[in-house]
Amino acid sequence: MRSVLNLVCWQCTWLTVIHSASNGLFWPGCLVFAASIAIQSTRRFGIRLPPAGLVAGVVVAGLVVDSVLMSSGLIRFPVDEGSGWPAWMALLWANFATTLDEALRWAGRRRIVGAAGGAIAGTIAYQAAESAGTIVLAPGYLALLVIACLWMVAIPTLAGIASVLRSRRATAEGQSDDRWAT
């Protein structure tokens, strides 16, 4: 149930950010992201969101990757032309980071499946953003191939980092936080 809620909150935020950005708006995505965090953090659901340091690291890494994609001409942001990378991308990366301790928790252990899922989901996300008019992908398949490769590495790597941090937190708190152990 918690993983489903985590995914639903992530998806609602993602859709709001993408569609708001395509209309030049930033605040609706911020509002939905804040509501998503508030809902997931309630005592009823108790979803443990990743530490702020991990979220910040994911945001920085994501913006670097998107900046490289932009500099290489593989993607561009038509709504924000000339402003470098758009602020709403930072919000998307922070939103993605919220899935690492819950919905994508399994990907840190099942790396091959995580890599395959990352390749598929990453390309779908960028294509959906293009359909919404938020980004433009370079013609041909090179942009999608590069994006697939990046997400193939990103999902298992970031989920693995989150797993290590989660394990360290649990050890420091004197408890086991391994719900997926068999």
Side-chain angles (χ1 to χ4, degrees), residues 62-82:
L63 293 177
V64 167
V65 167
D66 282 333
S67 294
V68 169
L69 289 171
M70 201 168 71
S71 296
S72 66
L74 294 174
I75 66 171
R76 65 183 178 85
F77 303 104
V79 174
D80 300 292
E81 296 276 9

Side-chain angles (χ1 to χ4, degrees), residues 6-173:
N6 184 241
L7 279 176
V8 167
C9 287
W10 168 79
Q11 187 65 55
C12 288
T13 302
W14 190 90
L15 288 168
T16 303
V17 170
I18 290 296
H19 288 289
S20 298
S22 69
N23 292 306
L25 299 173
F26 182 63
W27 68 266
C30 291
L31 187 64
V32 172
F33 181 65
S36 166
I37 298 300
I39 290 167
Q40 293 180 77
S41 299
T42 62
R43 180 175 270 190
R44 175 183 169 110
F45 299 112
I47 294 173
R48 181 176 249 176
L49 297 171
L54 178 61
V55 174
V58 169
V59 169
V60 168
L63 293 177
V64 167
V65 167
D66 282 333
S67 294
V68 169
L69 289 171
M70 201 168 71
S71 296
S72 66
L74 294 174
I75 66 171
R76 65 183 178 85
F77 303 104
V79 174
D80 300 292
E81 296 276 9
S83 65
W85 54 264
W88 55 265
M89 282 301 293
L91 191 56
L92 284 182
W93 283 105
N95 184 47
F96 166 69
T98 66
T99 64
L100 294 172
D101 265 348
E102 190 61 49
L104 291 178
R105 178 182 206 139
W106 58 270
R109 290 189 183 88
R110 297 180 182 102
R111 294 184 182 275
I112 293 173
V113 177
I120 294 166
T123 55
I124 289 171
Y126 279 76
Q127 287 178 310
E130 183 177 43
S131 294
T134 310
I135 68 168
V136 175
L137 298 170
Y141 293 102
L142 181 59
L144 291 177
L145 179 62
V146 170
I147 289 166
C149 290
L150 289 169
W151 279 97
M152 188 183 312
V153 172
I155 294 288
T157 301
L158 293 173
I161 291 168
S163 177
V164 167
L165 293 175
R166 182 175 46 257
S167 176
R168 288 182 183 167
R169 273 194 323 252
T171 301
E173 294 171 1

